[in-house]
Amino acid sequence: MRSSDSRFAACFLALATCLTAPTAARAKPVTVVVSAETGGDLAVFDPAKPQAVERIKVGPRPRGLKLSPDRKRLLVAVAGPPKTAPRPGAAAPAGAGAGLAIVDVASRKVTKQIATPPAPYGVELSSDGKTAFVSNSETNEILLIDVTAGTITKKTAVGREPQGLALRRDGKALYVATHASDEVSALDPKTGNLLMRIDAGSRPQTVLLAPRGDAGFAIDEGLPLVTMFDAKGNAFKHEIPVAGLPRTTPAPSLQAGVLSPDGKHLYLTTGAGRSVVFVDPAKKTVVGTVEGVGAFPRGIAISPDGKKLYTANGASNDVAIIDVAAKKVEARVTVPGAPWGIVVVP
């Protein structure tokens, strides 16, 4: 073969390799799902095409969301209508409209409605997808629900105002942020029995577990603190002060959080502070802030590659898309109905 032919063949092979090899920088498509508390539905959109928003009716006051391990179902805690003064002859039965909605991700349809007492708040799911754990901030219970049968199999009393939930990776402990008890309760997921109570600062409402499952974080609304605990020994470790929050009226209050895929950073929403705070758990300090996220950011989610954050901004009726590296809001998606919870479906 002539040298010119050899050079041509080499160039052709290199070009073919470039055209057929996957592009590392190309992000996998994801779907963002938001619960709209006053809208009574879910908003679904592609963050690459944020102007196209689909709505799925699920019931009054949807809040907590949980994606099943197989990514085929989305579980929604539906709080039910707010309390109103009863009118003669028109009082609805207690818990009417409250429950757990099961949404088929592919068809965008509700496939099952499981009735519960009023005001379910958060939802977690067993690794096999068969048992749902629902916190009820009004009845002060954790409900164990057989998802297939659609029945409540057990009710466990736990502290006051249980809210956020997180299941340990080995499935042997369920952690519950008991908002009015200033604790995180560890429960046996199979029996619902209490294993341990852990001091958790002031008014914790979200609980997260590190990717390795050895550390837990309670996000405290009452004080700008993150309480870290040992998720193996079920014991308090230390507190991380969240300094540098803006001075606003009303004051900022930590709402929810999400960990980066590698567990090295914790991202927190600040409610009235209109910001997202970046925390380094290893250094126990704030390492960045994104201001002007929206009016009262509450729920927060992260893309699988850790490059984008999404916040549910209830008072401004929108979702902010945040570039993590640049620490700035790059887009907003209008979502009427007071966005509350948010998840990313890979």
Side-chain angles (χ1 to χ4, degrees):
M1 181 181 291
R2 292 180 300 176
S3 60
S4 59
D5 292 335
S6 298
R7 287 196 299 271
F8 177 83
C11 291
F12 181 83
L13 179 61
L15 178 60
T17 301
C18 291
L19 291 173
T20 57
T23 303
R26 186 180 299 161
K28 293 182 179 180
V30 299
T31 299
V32 176
V33 183
V34 189
S35 59
E37 189 190 18
T38 62
D41 58 6
L42 305 180
V44 184
F45 65 89
D46 177 350
K49 305 172 184 177
Q51 71 279 3
V53 178
E54 183 179 355
R55 309 296 289 226
I56 305 169
K57 278 291 181 184
V58 292
R61 291 198 299 161
R63 291 182 169 179
L65 304 171
K66 181 65 181 183
L67 184 66
S68 64
D70 61 8
R71 303 172 183 173
K72 293 181 179 180
R73 296 171 299 161
L74 186 64
L75 281 67
V76 188
V78 180
K83 288 184 177 180
T84 57
R87 292 176 296 173
L100 183 66
I102 313 295
V103 177
D104 180 81
V105 173
S107 67
R108 305 283 203 267
K109 293 182 179 180
V110 175
T111 59
K112 187 177 295 184
Q113 294 271 14
I114 303 171
T116 70
Y121 189 99
V123 57
E124 180 61 290
L125 194 60
S126 60
S127 58
D128 61 9
K130 295 180 180 180
T131 302
F133 308 96
V134 176
S135 61
N136 194 298
S137 55
E138 186 169 300
T139 62
N140 298 323
E141 296 172 320
I142 301 300
L143 310 177
L144 277 65
I145 298 176
D146 183 320
V147 176
T148 302
T151 57
I152 298 172
T153 59
K154 188 175 180 62
K155 298 179 181 180
T156 298
V158 54
R160 290 181 295 148
E161 295 183 25
Q163 297 190 356
L165 305 167
L167 183 67
R168 205 164 70 188
R169 287 184 64 183
D170 62 7
K172 294 182 179 180
L174 175 71
Y175 297 97
V176 185
T178 50
H179 191 242
S181 297
D182 298 339
E183 295 174 335
V184 167
S185 294
L187 306 180
D188 182 320
K190 292 185 178 180
T191 65
N193 294 337
L194 180 69
L195 300 174
M196 188 73 68
R197 288 192 177 98
I198 306 165
D199 288 336
S202 174
R203 302 182 74 77
Q205 62 178 8
T206 303
V207 61
L208 306 171
L209 296 177
R212 292 185 303 176
D214 57 344
F217 305 89
I219 314 304
D220 295 333
E221 183 184 28
L223 290 172
L225 288 174
V226 175
T227 301
M228 192 169 177
F229 61 91
D230 178 356
K232 288 188 175 180
N234 295 333
F236 172 88
K237 289 185 71 174
H238 56 253
E239 293 176 338
I240 304 174
V242 180
L245 296 181
R247 295 182 179 180
T248 60
T249 302
S253 56
L254 303 182
Q255 296 296 308
V258 66
L259 283 157
S260 60
D262 60 10
K264 293 183 178 179
H265 288 93
L266 179 61
Y267 307 105
L268 310 172
T269 53
T270 65
R274 296 172 174 255
S275 61
V276 170
V277 177
F278 294 27
V279 173
D280 184 326
K283 296 179 180 179
K284 305 176 188 176
T285 187
V286 173
V287 294
T289 303
V290 180
E291 303 285 359
V293 168
F296 213 94
R298 187 187 301 274
I300 185 169
I302 192 167
S303 61
D305 60 10
K307 295 181 179 180
K308 306 291 182 184
L309 291 170
Y310 310 94
T311 63
N313 309 321
S316 55
N317 290 302
D318 61 13
V319 169
I321 302 176
I322 299 171
D323 184 302
V324 172
K327 293 185 174 66
K328 69 176 184 179
V329 176
E330 65 176 23
R332 295 185 187 279
V333 183
T334 299
V335 179
W340 178 285
I342 186 166
V343 296
V344 172
V345 181

